[in-house]
């Protein structure tokens, strides 16, 4: 299965990127006498999985160039110019129209996206972009839309100076060639909804998480979509999910009616916190944990253990009093102990403190957690003992009642004595040891 590279002779940047592609690798020249030059026939080039063909029309007017290639491509890459007031920019996007088709394609139709390929392409752009160039992704826009082959645009912009720049064209070419061996899709893919055309939220997710992003309906495309509760809008949103290979939607901005429609269509709206927290955890496991322990947005966080089967874990209640005491001694070590013993655990205070329910691989790991928390307490208590039903901590501590009985007045002397300094009361010196009492705390487990 090949990767088809589509060059447009009507686009100088496209031609320039094509020239830079042919200057790299080990291309062989072939002839297709059965197809006109204008439609991708004539001379074409192959290098391993890549096949490059040139067409006379602008990309947006090509209905489906896939049949021009010598074998059915698994991915189509349209190398193209980017135009706009955005300075030197290397970008990529998918094609489609959430509403009326002003620049190619059909109304309310979208091409098959290639989310995993776009992620790999952007990562390669980061590595190859020349000095002075920014890297970005864009929301879905323009044609072609009649593409059942996963496809993407790889663009050089944003004006003639960059379209003629060999360094910029070479960077796009290198990023395209990095797609060798890359699948068009992956397990975790999102539909993006809302935000600006250059989609900063979705760009962050694509760069910083294992999730890929398919079609993006930017705010201006949402205005073209119309009311999200209409039958027409529902049909377009269904197509967007299908053409993105996505089961989750990430929203940028407040879109309650659209979110409601997404849920009614059988998909899930998730937050960026959810995406980042879930990361590469198996999604069936995430669903199982969220249905029993807590949802990610409620505070669920993941531990070090990933069971072989999504249901292969045991729900327990965390020893909250013991946790709180340990956190007051060493919060970082306490969090590490909880994560190291669990599959997942509930939290409070924006995910910073473990508390409540948890999932553990087995009872042995729960016991190890109790032992580790007890060890943390030993830095603050004189004695800590672990029993079957509780952790008992003892310490000798300043007893203000004893100090008062010995005549120590409230104020500086009381403060110095509680801090471990001897004080004089009348003609008598009161040592700190004289005002200590043993204190015992019991933490149920």
């Amino acid at each position: 299965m090949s990767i088809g590279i589509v060059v447009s002779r009507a686009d100088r940047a496209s031609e320039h990127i094509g020239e830079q592609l042919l200057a790299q690798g080990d291309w062989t020249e072939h002839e297709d006498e059965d197809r006109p030059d204008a439609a991708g026939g004539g001379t074409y080039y192959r290098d391993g999985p890549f096949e490059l063909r040139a067409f006379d029309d602008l990309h947006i007017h090509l209905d489906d160039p896939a049949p021009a290639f010598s074998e059915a491509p698994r991915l189509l890459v349209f190398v193209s110019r980017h135009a706009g007031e955005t300075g030197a920019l290397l970008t990529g996007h998918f094609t489609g129209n959430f509403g009326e088709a002003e620049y190619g394609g059909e109304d309310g139709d979208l091409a098959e996206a290639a989310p995993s390929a776009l992620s790999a392409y952007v990562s390669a752009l980061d590595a190859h972009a020349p000095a002075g160039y920014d890297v970005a992704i864009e929301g879905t826009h323009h044609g072609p839309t009649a593409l059942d082959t996963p496809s993407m645009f790889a663009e050089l912009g944003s004006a003639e100076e960059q379209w003629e720049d060999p360094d910029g064209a070479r960077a796009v070419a290198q990023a395209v060639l990095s797609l060798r061996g890359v699948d068009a899709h992956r397990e975790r893919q999102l539909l993006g909804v809302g935000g600006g055309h250059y989609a900063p939220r979705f760009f962050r997710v694509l760069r910083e998480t294992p999730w890929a992003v398919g079609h993006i309906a930017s705010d201006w495309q949402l205005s073209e979509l119309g009311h999200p509760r209409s039958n027409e809008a529902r049909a377009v949103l269904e197509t967007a999910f299908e053409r993105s290979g996505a089961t989750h939607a990430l929203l940028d901005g407040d879109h309650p009616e659209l979110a409601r429609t997404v849920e009614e269509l059988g998909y899930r709206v998730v937050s960026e916190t959810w995406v980042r927290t879930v990361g590469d955890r198996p999604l069936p496991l995430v669903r199982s944990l969220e249905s029993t322990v807590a949802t990610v947005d409620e505070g669920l966080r993941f531990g070090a253990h990933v069971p072989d089967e999504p249901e292969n874990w045991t729900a327990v209640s965390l020893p909250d009093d013991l946790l709180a005491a340990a956190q007051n001694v060493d919060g970082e070590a306490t969090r590490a102990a909880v994560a190291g013993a669990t599959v997942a655990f509930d939290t409070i205070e924006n995910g910073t403190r473990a508390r409540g329910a948890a999932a553990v691989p087995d009872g042995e790991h729960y016991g190890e957690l109790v032992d580790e928390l007890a060890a943390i307490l030993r830095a603050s208590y004189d004695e800590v003992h672990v029993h079957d039903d509780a952790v008992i901590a003892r310490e000798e501590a300043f007893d203000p009642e004893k100090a008062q009985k010995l005549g120590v007045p409230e104020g500086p002397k009381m403060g110095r004595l509680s801090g471990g300094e001897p004080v004089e009361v009348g003609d008598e010196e009161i040592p700190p040891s004289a005002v200590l009492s043993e204190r015992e705390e019991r933490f149920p487990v």
Side-chain angles (χ1 to χ4, degrees), residues 187-198:
E187 179 192 9
R188 49 203 72 219
Q189 299 179 157
L190 298 163
L191 175 70
V193 178
H197 180 73
Y198 293 96

Side-chain angles (χ1 to χ4, degrees), residues 273-274 277-278 285-302 335 343-347 351 357-359:
T273 296
W274 188 94
T277 302
V278 168
L285 173 63
V286 174
R287 287 193 290 271
S288 173
L289 291 166
E290 285 196 302
S291 68
T292 303
V293 180
T295 67
V296 169
D297 289 334
E298 289 169 340
L300 184 74
R301 296 297 181 264
F302 296 96
R335 178 63 173 253
V343 176
F345 52 96
D346 198 3
T347 64

Side-chain angles (χ1 to χ4, degrees), residues 80-332:
S80 172
R81 72 188 179 207
H82 170 73
E85 298 179 1
T86 48
L89 183 67
L90 307 178
T91 183
H93 69 87
F94 305 124
T95 59
N97 302 299
F98 283 84
E100 184 179 349
E102 294 186 41
Y103 300 101
E106 299 296 325
D107 295 349
D109 195 17
L110 301 105
E112 182 77 16
S116 186
L118 181 63
S119 292
Y121 168 74
V122 166
S123 179
L125 284 182
D126 283 334
H128 296 295
Y133 277 84
D134 290 325
V135 176
I137 60 171
E138 299 173 73
T140 296
H141 63 298
H142 68 62
T145 58
L147 298 173
D148 292 327
T149 302
S151 63
M152 55 174 280
F153 267 58
E155 298 188 345
L156 170 63
S158 299
E160 191 163 348
E161 177 184 353
Q162 286 80 39
W163 302 338
E164 296 290 347
D165 177 20
D167 291 336
R170 187 179 306 113
V172 175
Q174 290 171 322
V176 170
L177 292 175
S178 75
L179 298 176
R180 185 190 301 262
V182 174
D183 291 331
H185 292 276
R186 62 178 65 167
E187 179 192 9
R188 49 203 72 219
Q189 299 179 157
L190 298 163
L191 175 70
V193 178
H197 180 73
Y198 293 96
R201 163 166 282 185
F202 309 116
F203 191 40
R204 288 196 308 270
V205 165
L206 178 152
R207 273 176 144 172
E208 299 169 8
T209 79
W211 289 78
V213 181
H215 282 292
I216 299 172
S218 303
D219 284 340
W220 70 270
Q221 282 278 32
L222 291 181
S223 66
E224 295 289 320
L225 176 68
H227 196 283
R229 308 288 294 158
S230 68
N231 290 336
E232 294 82 1
R234 293 170 69 92
V236 174
L237 289 170
E238 182 73 61
T239 299
F241 275 103
E242 292 174 354
R243 294 292 218 166
S244 298
T247 55
H248 298 75
L250 176 61
L251 276 56
D252 189 352
D254 189 24
H255 305 282
E257 289 297 310
L258 191 144
R260 181 180 166 193
T261 299
V262 167
E263 299 282 356
E264 288 176 353
L265 290 172
Y267 302 100
R268 182 175 177 184
V269 175
V270 294
S271 66
E272 187 172 344
T273 296
W274 188 94
V275 172
R276 291 180 178 277
T277 302
V278 168
D280 60 0
R281 289 296 190 287
L283 297 181
L285 173 63
V286 174
R287 287 193 290 271
S288 173
L289 291 166
E290 285 196 302
S291 68
T292 303
V293 180
T295 67
V296 169
D297 289 334
E298 289 169 340
L300 184 74
R301 296 297 181 264
F302 296 96
H305 297 274
V306 180
D308 294 335
E309 299 295 332
E311 305 292 340
N312 193 15
W313 51 269
T314 301
V316 298
S317 295
L318 290 170
D320 287 338
D321 292 342
L322 178 60
L323 268 174
Q327 285 165 337
N328 289 335
V329 175
D330 189 334
E332 187 174 328

